Amino acid sequence: MHIFERKPLSDRLREAGCPGDYVYSPAEGRMIVRMPDGEVLTPGEAADRYNIPVL
């Protein structure tokens, strides 16, 4: 039996070419993706932008 282990979303974003940083935002109380231009995305928004399935 083969067990599939999915990589963390932060690794998959990086591999897909996402230039943002996957960081914890104390102000928002959650993980966010902070893009180089200052744009802030939720992990789901970043996954959609870089065509990464989250489920």
Side-chain angles (χ1 to χ4, degrees):
M1 184 167 131
H2 178 71
I3 298 175
F4 178 76
E5 289 189 35
R6 183 176 279 192
K7 291 180 182 180
L9 182 57
S10 57
D11 290 347
R12 292 183 286 146
L13 285 168
R14 193 174 315 113
E15 290 172 359
C18 178
D21 294 319
Y22 193 72
V23 297
Y24 179 76
S25 170
E28 295 190 37
R30 62 181 176 168
M31 297 300 290
I32 60 167
V33 179
R34 185 175 295 123
M35 302 301 276
D37 64 0
E39 181 182 15
V40 173
L41 303 172
T42 67
E45 291 169 337
D48 285 346
R49 185 175 292 186
Y50 290 91
N51 299 314
I52 299 171
V54 288
L55 295 178

